[in-house]
Amino acid sequence: TTRATIASARSRNPTRRVGGGRQNVSGRYPSRKMGVTIQFESHRVELPFVYEMEHDPAVLEYYDQPPSIPLAYPTASGRRLSVMHTPDYFVLRHDSAGWVECKTEGDLEKLAIKSPHRYVRDDAGNWRCPPGEAHASALGLDYRVWSSTNVDWNLQRNLQFLDDYLRYDSGSTAGPVNAEVKT
């Protein structure tokens, strides 16, 4: 089941196309690592996450809008709720694999009040999604919540500044490598 889940995330096109909201800027990042464009729905949380995945040597592959997964948890009133959820990314690392949901700190605080059993802050101050973790751990995978507080803005500025240099393929006379567009 775990292999089938990973194969599905790797072989499918994104489950949906992302769109921007009032305070979001959505777009596509031409990933050299993946050889396709990667969608992001927020330039303040998801795009920094994409930059980090692109340049993290421990990350082998990452996919936007992977197939939906089921989440089951009690509502604030105690009623049992089951929903299908499309995480933002599926990430394959050298030592793990799993889903990542990216949210702003403000959104997580609001969601924790609305859905206190879906988004919780642990004793160390990190955000977690217990129903996502339960689904993932049954498969031997991870489920992580990546908050806007995880963004290292110094690293982001450096990655953006060095982007042309990092994209240059010194073994080629053609110059920078172009990524294919995922359809």
Side-chain angles (χ1 to χ4, degrees):
T1 304
T2 302
R3 286 180 190 206
T5 299
I6 293 171
S8 177
R10 294 180 76 209
S11 64
R12 288 186 164 174
N13 284 331
T15 301
R16 67 181 185 90
R17 291 201 182 269
V18 300
R22 284 190 343 216
Q23 297 176 346
N24 284 353
V25 176
S26 64
R28 290 172 175 69
Y29 177 80
S31 169
R32 182 173 181 182
K33 182 180 275 188
M34 295 301 297
V36 296
T37 58
I38 301 293
Q39 300 180 101
F40 60 90
E41 204 159 24
S42 159
H43 70 292
R44 299 209 185 274
V45 184
E46 289 188 24
L47 180 57
F49 177 80
V50 168
Y51 274 128
E52 287 197 26
M53 296 301 99
E54 185 71 15
H55 299 287
D56 183 344
V59 172
L60 302 172
E61 300 172 9
Y62 64 103
Y63 300 89
D64 61 282
Q65 305 301 310
S68 299
I69 61 173
L71 300 182
Y73 56 95
T75 63
S77 65
R79 184 176 58 87
R80 190 87 176 138
L81 181 65
S82 293
V83 298
M84 290 303 288
H85 161 63
T86 304
D88 294 314
Y89 299 96
F90 188 85
V91 180
L92 293 168
R93 300 175 188 275
H94 282 288
D95 61 353
S96 66
W99 296 273
V100 178
E101 182 68 11
C102 299
K103 298 267 187 224
T104 66
E105 190 73 13
D107 285 348
L108 285 165
E109 290 169 354
K110 291 175 190 171
L111 288 166
I113 293 168
K114 181 181 174 187
S115 301
H117 301 287
R118 182 168 175 173
Y119 295 102
V120 299
R121 194 187 298 262
D122 65 17
D123 294 337
N126 300 311
W127 286 101
R128 296 181 44 232
C129 176
E133 292 171 3
H135 174 77
S137 68
L139 297 167
L141 300 172
D142 296 330
Y143 187 103
R144 299 175 185 175
V145 177
W146 204 74
S147 162
S148 55
T149 60
N150 296 111
V151 177
D152 178 343
W153 290 107
N154 286 328
L155 173 63
Q156 292 298 314
R157 281 189 294 276
N158 288 336
L159 290 174
Q160 290 172 19
F161 178 76
L162 294 170
D163 194 48
D164 287 338
Y165 171 77
L166 295 170
R167 285 182 176 279
Y168 185 76
D169 182 5
S170 63
S172 167
T173 58
V177 175
N178 294 321
E180 292 179 30
V181 176
K182 190 188 291 187
T183 58

